[in-house]
């Protein structure tokens, strides 16, 4: 089980509100990254779960 905002704040030396704000911002950023990944995976010729091959430097 995880900590509530008050418990996490005590451990981190932060106020509960700051912990909630940081958690909300982190979840929002994660959602954006997942959306970006899903958009990339929907492109033709891209195998989901695999990173594209690195570009060749000439």
């Amino acid at each position: 089980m995880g900590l509530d905002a008050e418990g996490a704040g005590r451990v981190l030396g932060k106020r509960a509100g700051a912990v909630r704000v940081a958690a909300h911002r982190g979840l929002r950023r994660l959602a954006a990254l997942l959306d970006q990944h899903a958009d990339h995976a929907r492109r033709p010729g891209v195998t989901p779960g695999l990173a594209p091959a690195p570009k060749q430097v000439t």
Side-chain angles (χ1 to χ4, degrees), residues 1-50:
M1 285 209 196
L3 296 173
D4 60 6
E6 287 78 19
R10 280 192 298 276
V11 170
L12 297 170
K14 303 279 184 184
R15 294 181 181 169
V19 171
R20 284 190 289 271
V21 167
H24 177 73
R25 288 177 179 166
L27 288 171
R28 211 171 49 193
R29 183 169 182 209
L30 176 60
L33 289 169
L34 290 172
D35 283 344
Q36 196 176 53
H37 178 74
D39 289 343
H40 177 74
R42 283 189 215 106
R43 286 191 225 153
V46 174
T47 305
L50 296 178

